[in-house]
Structures are given as structure tokens and as C-alpha cells.
């Protein structure tokens, strides 16, 4: 094992795509990028954990923690059409086969290898309505994948295609992308707008797409690998059980099939893995939702320090919002705004602006010192929650939301809630820094 730069570890030992590479990704989850130079079964290198750290996603998008929310909202409202041309992904164009692609099998109990980092592009009405989204893909055999489609925009496009008398949709599945391009798969643009055009903002307008060779679909021209497919709307296969965000198995369902009719890749392409339930999965799910929560909360209180869909809460079920409280009644309104912005949310904590919402020790300290259970708790029973919450009624998606107001009561002397500090002179700072 050798570090090639600050953020990448190169693993030379031969590891298997079945369990061994996923185990390494799990071991280093949330840390550095791992590049597997010698997978046991193939000559193709595998990379993982690319977007597993918040700072790397921000860097890739050219944004900072301070301007992330404005940046995503601006990009979503102002898509920039991508140019179309050729690119390195067309160095090799082949007939459709999954045989040589090092798809990972992650967990004991998985039904087979799963492509988890692929983002699916499709369009209907001659490109008038487009969509880009992440979908897990179970390898059924050398040419077929089962695709999990939660009823959202891609699902709606399959309905439109059916209504137009079509039995299939042409799709591209892009794997091995720049982080700013990858985020297209987890952003929600208005229906019909291509999320590639949204993230083109993060590329300064330079994101180039290429036309697939075997199907009528677009894909990033600088992708490592693109599968060209026919999504057969009414042909179904058993998909799952799959380990989802929660780290528990999602149920089996009948889901549509993608037939892989072509493959395009760079000469010496790197296959990108993404560990289900790992921090990359959670960050990519949660981060794009934070701006919406931020916008809703800003409708209630003017100064919002930050929104954190916490990694521990699967980037999906737990949210911490830090804001400046002006009136005693603000926090419960803020809690209601948070729940309205992200209907899958289960628990939300609101804290004063002296608490960093990304530092869970500070958040817990605020709960310990500023929260009073009989007054500061908001319970919303029998409400829609996430299908990923095993404690809820997963079929009806019904559960209970809990809001925690961990802000200081305004009628009590603020001195009682201030964290005591020890004065540190410049001289002492220098002495102490020698030992850190
Ligand atoms: C790593 C990852 C895997 C995902 N897997 C799926 C999936 O299998 N099926 C699905 O419908 N959504 C999945 N999602 C969520 C969607 O891609 C995401 O909600 C997207 O914004 C939906 O796009 P839309 O708003 O254009 O419909 C996944 C997201 C991530 C980050």
C-alpha cells in the first residue's frame, strides 16, 4: 500500500472484486480515495471513495462550505446547455457485454454484483425532456441489468414513453466521473431539465457530452466507462435484497431490465466503485438536499449558519440546523420548515448559531445543556417518512417525526449557557503547538 498524494492511497496487493475491495472501502470509509491497482479477476483498475469526504465534493464543485447552498440553488435555476462532441470515452467502442467489467459484490447476502456509481441519462420526445439520476443496477447476466427505479423523474419518463406507445427507452449509464459531474445524479432539477446542464455551472460551462454509438442517448465525453442500454419498461426481474443507506437490506422487488447493447470506455479505463451505506452514498444523497432545507428555513428566520444531513443519520434521516434565534417561538417553526423541505426526514435538531452543526459533539452538548424534554420536543405521529427506515411502516411509509429544540431559552440569563473558556496567551499557544 502506498500513498500517491495527500488524498489517494494506491493498493497494489491483488484484492478480489467480491467482498475484498468492498471490505477495504469499508475500512477506509470517509477517508482517502482508494485506487486498487491489481484486482484479482481483471486487468482493469478500480477506484472507490472518490466522493466519500465532504471537502472533496466541495473542491470538485469549485464551491466552499459557505457558498454551497447558494451555488447549488443558482445552478439548479440556471442550467447551461452542454456542448456535444467526441471525447476520451470513445477511445474504445464495443458491442454490449458486462463480462470484463469488474463490478463489485459488496455484502454477504447480496444477490450478485451491483453497479452502484452509475448515473443514468435518458430523454423522451426527441430530447425535449431529459433526466439524469443515480440507480443501482444488479448484474443479471452478461447483457442484462435490473434497475431500481423509485417513482421520481426517470419513472415519470418511463410512463410518458409508455403513453407514447414505446416499450423501451434508450439510456446511457456513466461510470467514473468528475465529482462535479457525478452530483448530477443526485440533484433534482425541474422535471425535464437535464442535470448535466445544471452541473455544467460547476464546470464553468465546459462540460462536454457525447452521443452514444448504439443508442440515442448522451453521456459525459470524459467518462471512464459508459454502458449503452435499452431500458425495457415492462420487462421485469427480481431486484434485491440490496443493502441501502441504512446498512440494512432493502426488500426484493420486480424492477425493469436494462439490456446493454454497447460499451464505450477509455483505453485504460478505471472502474469506479461506490460502497452502499458508506459515507459516499450518504453524502451524495444528503448534500444536494441541504440547500432546499436551507431555503425553507430562511423563509422562517433570516440567519442560518448551516444545515447538516448527518452522515450518522444516513445523510437522509437526521438533520441539524444552526440558526440565530430572535424570538422564543422560532425553533418549532424552524423544525416544521425542515420537515416540510425534506419529507423523508425522521429526526431534526435545531441549535443556536454558536453551535457548529457539523460537530456532533457540540450538537450533543447543546442537547445536554439547552433542551428540556417536556417543553422542547415536537412529535408528529402518523406522518410520511422514508421507506428506508426499518422502524417505520415501510409499505405505507408512515412513521413519527421528532423535532428537538436545543436552543437556549431566551427568558433565562444567557450567562448560564455560555461555555467557559481558559485564556491562552500567544506565548502559551507557541509552547503548546510544539506538542501537537
Ligand atoms: C449512490 C446513490 C444511489 C442511488 N440509487 C438509487 C436507486 O437505485 N434508485 C433510485 O430511484 N434512486 C436512487 N438514488 C437517488 C436518486 O438518484 C436521486 O434522488 C436523484 O436526485 C433523483 O433524480 P430526479 O430528481 O431527477 O428524479 C441514489 C442516489 C445516490 C447518491
Amino acid at each position: 500500500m502506498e500513498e500517491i498524494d495527500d488524498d489517494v492511497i494506491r493498493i497494489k496487493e491483488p484484492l478480489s472484486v467480491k467482498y475484498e475491495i468492498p471490505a477495504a472501502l469499508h475500512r477506509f470509509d470517509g477517508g482517502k480515495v482508494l485506487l486498487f491497482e491489481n484486482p484479482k479477476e481483471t486487468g482493469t483498475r478500480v477506484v472507490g471513495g472518490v466522493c466519500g469526504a465532504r471537502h472533496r465534493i466541495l473542491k470538485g464543485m469549485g464551491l466552499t462550505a459557505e457558498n454551497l447552498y447558494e451555488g447549488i440553488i443558482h445552478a439548479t435555476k440556471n442550467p447551461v446547455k452542454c456542448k456535444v462532441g467526441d471525447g476520451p470515452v470513445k477511445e474504445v467502442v464495443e458491442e454490449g457485454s458486462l463480462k470484463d467489467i469488474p463490478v463489485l459484490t459488496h455484502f454477504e447476502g447480496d444477490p450478485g454484483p451491483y453497479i452502484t456509481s452509475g448515473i443514468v441519462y435518458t430523454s423522451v420526445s426527441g430530447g425535449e425532456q431529459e433526466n439524469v439520476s443515480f440507480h443501482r443496477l444488479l448484474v443479471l447476466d452478461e447483457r442484462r441489468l435490473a434497475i431500481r427505479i423509485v417513482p421520481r423523474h426517470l419513472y415519470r419518463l418511463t410512463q410518458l414513453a409508455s403513453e407514447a406507445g414505446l416499450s423501451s427507452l434508450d439510456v446511457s449509464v456513466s461510470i467514473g466521473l468528475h465529482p462535479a459531474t457525478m452530483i448530477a445524479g443526485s440533484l433534482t432539477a425541474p422535471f425535464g431539465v437535464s442535470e448535466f446542464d445544471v452541473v455544467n455551472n460547476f464546470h464553468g460551462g465546459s462540460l462536454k457530452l457525447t452521443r452514444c454509438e448504439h443508442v440515442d442517448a448522451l453521456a459525459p465525453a470524459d467518462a471512464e466507462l459508459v454502458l449503452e442500454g435499452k431500458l425495457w419498461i415492462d420487462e421485469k426481474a427480481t431486484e434485491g435484497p440490496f443493502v441501502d443507506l441504512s446498512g440494512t437490506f432493502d426488500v426484493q422487488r420486480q424492477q425493469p431490465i436494462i439490456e446493454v447493447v454497447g460499451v464505450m470506455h477509455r483505453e485504460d479505463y478505471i472502474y469506479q466503485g461506490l460502497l452502499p451505506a458508506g459515507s459516499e452514498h450518504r453524502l451524495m444523497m444528503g448534500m444536494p438536499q441541504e440547500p432546499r432545507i436551507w431555503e425553507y428555513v430562511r423563509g422562517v428566520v433570516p440567519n442560518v449558519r448551516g444545515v447538516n444531513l448527518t452522515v450518522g443519520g444516513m445523510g437522509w434521516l437526521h438533520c441539524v440546523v444552526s440558526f440565530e434565534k430572535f424570538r422564543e417561538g422560532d425553533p418549532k417553526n424552524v423544525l416544521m420548515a425542515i420537515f416540510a423541505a425534506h419529507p423523508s426526514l425522521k429526526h431534526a435538531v435545531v441549535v443556536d448559531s454558536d453551535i457548529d452543526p457539523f460537530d456532533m459533539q457540540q450538537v450533543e452538548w447543546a442537547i445536554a445543556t439547552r433542551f428540556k424534554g417536556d417543553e422542547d420536543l415536537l412529535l408528529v405521529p402518523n406522518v410520511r417518512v422514508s421507506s428506508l427506515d426499518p422502524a417505520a411502516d415501510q409499505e405505507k411509509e408512515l412513521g413519527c417525526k421528532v423535532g428537538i429544540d436545543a436552543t437556549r431559552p431566551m427568558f433565562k440569563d444567557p450567562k448560564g449557557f455560555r461555555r467557559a473558556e481558559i485564556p491562552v496567551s500567544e506565548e502559551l499557544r507557541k509552547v503548546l503547538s510544539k506538542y501537537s
Side-chain angles (χ1 to χ4, degrees):
M1 204 164 89
E2 179 196 333
E3 279 190 31
I4 46 178
D5 73 26
D6 275 0
D7 237 7
V8 183
I9 298 174
R10 197 191 278 244
I11 296 181
K12 293 190 182 303
E13 291 81 355
L15 297 188
S16 172
V17 295
K18 188 168 181 180
Y19 304 144
E20 291 184 354
I21 288 177
L25 292 174
H26 185 250
R27 164 73 181 76
F28 293 94
D29 189 37
K32 299 186 181 194
V33 176
L34 301 186
L35 181 62
F36 301 91
E37 304 228 297
N38 297 300
K40 270 184 193 160
E41 298 83 355
T42 161
T44 303
R45 289 170 296 164
V46 174
V47 72
V50 174
C51 290
R54 215 176 159 90
H55 71 89
R56 271 202 301 278
I57 305 178
L58 287 172
K59 189 174 165 195
M61 292 168 81
L63 297 173
T64 62
E66 287 70 39
N67 66 12
L68 170 70
Y69 306 145
E70 275 121 337
I72 289 188
I73 289 166
H74 171 83
T76 308
K77 290 182 179 164
N78 300 280
V80 178
K81 212 75 210 135
C82 295
K83 293 200 173 70
V84 178
D86 282 340
V89 74
K90 285 197 169 164
E91 283 169 6
V92 179
V93 178
E94 296 168 331
E95 291 304 305
S97 169
L98 297 161
K99 189 163 63 76
D100 297 325
I101 300 174
V103 184
L104 308 182
T105 304
H106 305 92
F107 294 92
E108 203 173 21
D110 278 356
Y114 258 104
I115 296 173
T116 47
S117 65
I119 66 175
V120 176
Y121 166 94
T122 196
S123 68
V124 297
S125 316
E128 244 174 61
Q129 278 149 334
E130 302 170 276
N131 193 65
V132 181
S133 43
F134 272 102
H135 294 270
R136 66 191 192 224
L137 301 158
L138 171 64
V139 177
L140 298 171
D141 55 43
E142 280 182 17
R143 267 176 79 91
R144 293 181 320 141
L145 300 159
I147 175 171
R148 167 70 178 133
I149 306 180
V150 178
R152 283 192 284 247
H153 289 173
L154 175 58
Y155 183 78
R156 182 69 194 123
L157 290 180
T158 62
Q159 285 181 321
L160 290 180
S162 278
E163 283 159 26
L166 299 173
S167 52
S168 70
L169 271 176
D170 284 7
V171 299
S172 67
V173 179
S174 302
I175 299 165
L177 300 169
H178 187 290
T181 312
M182 239 175 121
I183 203 93
S186 50
L187 279 175
T188 293
F191 180 69
V193 173
S194 165
E195 283 86 354
F196 284 142
D197 297 341
V198 170
V199 301
N200 197 7
N201 277 285
F202 309 134
H203 290 279
S206 67
L207 178 62
K208 200 206 266 184
L209 302 180
T210 198
R211 226 162 258 297
C212 288
E213 294 288 325
H214 297 83
V215 294
D216 181 16
L218 295 168
D222 65 354
E224 292 289 320
L225 167 70
V226 170
L227 310 178
E228 306 174 80
K230 292 259 174 214
L231 193 169
W232 295 100
I233 300 164
D234 293 321
E235 261 183 56
K236 304 271 168 73
T238 304
E239 189 277 328
F242 174 81
V243 175
D244 216 314
L245 276 182
S246 54
T248 55
F249 282 94
D250 193 5
V251 298
Q252 282 188 323
R253 298 179 183 85
Q254 293 301 303
Q255 291 288 289
I257 285 170
I258 292 182
E259 180 192 353
V260 180
V261 294
V263 176
M264 310 192 293
H265 62 80
R266 290 177 182 238
E267 199 85 60
D268 185 22
Y269 80 91
I270 301 178
Y271 177 80
Q272 185 173 4
L274 188 153
L275 183 69
S279 68
E280 185 169 23
H281 192 181
R282 294 171 179 195
L283 282 170
M284 292 303 272
M285 284 288 283
M287 261 178 88
Q289 302 300 324
E290 290 171 1
R292 195 145 49 102
I293 297 174
W294 181 73
E295 236 191 352
Y296 272 54
V297 173
R298 279 214 315 171
V300 177
V301 287
N303 295 326
V304 185
R305 173 171 171 180
V307 176
N308 180 13
L309 275 165
T310 69
V311 171
M314 301 151 50
W316 204 242
L317 298 190
H318 283 181
C319 182
V320 181
V321 172
S322 164
F323 73 101
E324 209 175 319
K325 178 170 160 183
F326 287 108
R327 286 152 302 187
E328 193 49 48
D330 284 341
K332 289 211 175 87
N333 280 336
V334 169
L335 285 167
M336 289 192 282
I338 299 168
F339 287 133
H342 181 40
S344 293
L345 201 67
K346 184 173 175 184
H347 300 147
V349 182
V350 292
V351 292
D352 294 298
S353 55
D354 62 327
I355 303 293
D356 177 355
F358 293 94
D359 181 337
M360 292 312 286
Q361 222 169 332
Q362 281 190 40
V363 173
E364 195 181 346
W365 178 79
I367 296 172
T369 58
R370 300 179 182 182
F371 167 72
K372 214 164 152 268
D374 54 346
E375 290 173 8
D376 300 329
L377 197 64
L378 179 72
L379 284 181
V380 190
N382 259 326
V383 62
R384 193 198 131 190
V385 290
S386 169
S387 63
L388 298 175
D389 172 9
D393 181 332
Q394 281 172 288
E395 217 170 282
K396 295 192 183 124
E397 294 182 11
L398 279 179
C400 179
K401 294 188 194 291
V402 179
I404 292 175
D405 167 10
T407 61
R408 280 188 299 266
M410 294 182 94
F411 59 87
K412 284 191 108 179
D413 187 347
K415 274 193 215 135
F417 296 95
R418 214 170 41 217
R419 202 190 279 269
E421 282 181 19
I422 302 175
V424 179
S425 67
E426 204 38 51
E427 207 179 326
L428 177 60
R429 198 181 303 280
K430 277 188 203 145
V431 172
L432 296 180
S433 69
K434 275 204 256 172
Y435 298 96
S436 58

